[in-house]
């Protein structure tokens, strides 16, 4: 059941996690997760909280804003870390529905949508002005807790592909800032004619990195 105390603790844990990342010298973080205010409303209803949808919406708004603002504060406190977020699998505009973390617009956040085997957007991938890259998110071979590997689809599979590319760029040139890495990934994408899809091109990104003047 979503509660005020739980929400505050969650916001505090976000800051604690980022502080841990900073202390450990982490350069890039994959965020294959998400949520929105409606998810909280559903949880409230399932637990019998609120007399009607309007009341639950008001409660959910308060709880969501605490978590949303807490995560923004945490991510903004780590300008030397690049956070790569899954766009979500709801086929919605991440900004309109205020998906978390996909709707967070910070210089050190890169949001990733999913493409299918043809390189086109999947039917489930969310979209919007905050989505800056796309990668394979259809039937991606994935590890499961049992130790076996199964094929899964989702933006949670696409985001790690971009995280992997970011890590490789940093391995080649450790002096890159998060905004440098983000820019290299975004300027090297294969953009669709309608301007919606930005498919990562790792080879092109590495080539552009090697052409950068030394700083």
């Amino acid at each position: 059941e979503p509660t005020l105390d739980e929400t505050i603790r969650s916001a505090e844990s976000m800051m604690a996690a980022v502080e841990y990342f900073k202390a450990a010298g982490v350069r890039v973080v994959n965020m294959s997760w998400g949520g929105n205010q409606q998810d909280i409303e559903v949880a409230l209803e399932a637990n019998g909280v609120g007399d009607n949808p309007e009341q639950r919406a008001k409660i959910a708004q308060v709880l969501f804003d605490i978590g949303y603002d807490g995560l923004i504060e945490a991510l903004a406190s780590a300008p030397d870390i690049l956070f790569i977020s899954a766009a979500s699998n709801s086929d919605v505009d991440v900004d309109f529905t205020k998906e978390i973390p996909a709707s967070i617009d910070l210089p050190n956040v890169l949001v990733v949508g999913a493409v299918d085997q043809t390189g086109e957007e999947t039917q489930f991938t969310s979209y919007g002005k905050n989505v800056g890259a796309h990668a394979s998110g259809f039937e991606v071979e994935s590890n499961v807790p049992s130790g076996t590997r199964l094929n899964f689809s989702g933006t949670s599979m696409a985001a790690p592909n971009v995280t992997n590319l970011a890590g490789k760029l940093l391995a080649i040139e450790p002096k890159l800032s998060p905004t440098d890495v983000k820019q290299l990934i975004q300027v090297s994408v294969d953009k669709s004619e309608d301007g919606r899809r930005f498919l990562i091109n790792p080879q092109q990104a590495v080539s552009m990195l090697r052409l950068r003047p030394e700083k």
Side-chain angles (χ1 to χ4, degrees):
E1 175 185 337
T3 65
L4 181 60
D5 287 344
E6 177 193 45
T7 302
I8 293 173
R9 286 197 301 271
S10 177
E12 291 173 345
S13 71
M14 291 175 185
M15 181 61 77
V18 172
E19 288 299 322
Y20 172 80
F21 294 151
K22 290 159 67 174
V26 171
R27 302 294 306 279
V28 59
V29 174
N30 182 74
M31 298 194 294
S32 284
W33 58 278
N36 54 42
Q37 181 181 323
Q38 187 176 10
D39 294 334
I40 300 176
E41 292 178 34
V42 171
L44 291 172
E45 183 177 12
N47 286 275
V49 178
D51 297 327
N52 52 60
E54 291 74 22
Q55 189 178 54
R56 282 190 289 273
K58 289 181 180 179
I59 297 171
Q61 181 71 64
V62 172
L63 299 180
F64 179 82
D65 286 347
I66 292 172
Y68 192 81
D69 294 342
L71 182 57
I72 290 177
E73 182 181 0
L75 301 185
S77 76
D80 293 328
I81 300 176
L82 178 61
F83 295 91
I84 297 181
S85 165
S88 88
N89 308 324
S90 304
D91 187 25
V92 296
D93 187 321
V94 298
D95 303 297
F96 180 77
T97 58
K98 206 173 181 180
E99 292 290 321
I100 183 171
S103 63
I104 293 178
D105 186 10
L106 289 172
N108 60 332
V109 173
L110 177 58
V111 182
V112 181
V115 297
D116 59 22
Q117 67 272 38
T118 69
E120 298 302 323
E121 285 182 287
T122 62
Q123 293 183 341
F124 58 77
T125 189
S126 290
Y127 51 88
K129 65 179 179 61
N130 213 37
V131 178
H134 290 80
S136 175
F138 182 79
E139 293 293 314
V140 177
E141 188 177 43
S142 308
N143 289 312
V144 296
S146 65
T148 57
R149 295 175 69 83
L150 297 173
N151 290 340
F152 288 105
S153 297
T155 56
S156 289
M157 284 72 231
N161 280 293
V162 182
T163 304
N164 178 270
L165 174 56
K168 288 177 178 176
L169 295 174
L170 286 166
I172 295 171
E173 180 47 80
K175 294 181 181 180
L176 292 173
S177 69
T179 52
D180 289 334
V181 175
K182 182 176 175 179
Q183 182 183 43
L184 278 167
I185 292 173
Q186 291 188 288
V187 299
S188 62
V189 298
D190 295 326
K191 189 175 180 180
S192 63
E193 292 184 3
D194 61 7
R196 277 180 52 113
R197 186 217 65 201
F198 312 101
L199 183 59
I200 60 168
N201 187 328
Q203 184 175 5
Q204 180 70 5
V206 171
S207 295
M208 296 184 74
L209 171 58
R210 298 192 186 284
L211 291 172
R212 279 170 53 94
E214 293 186 10
K215 294 184 179 181

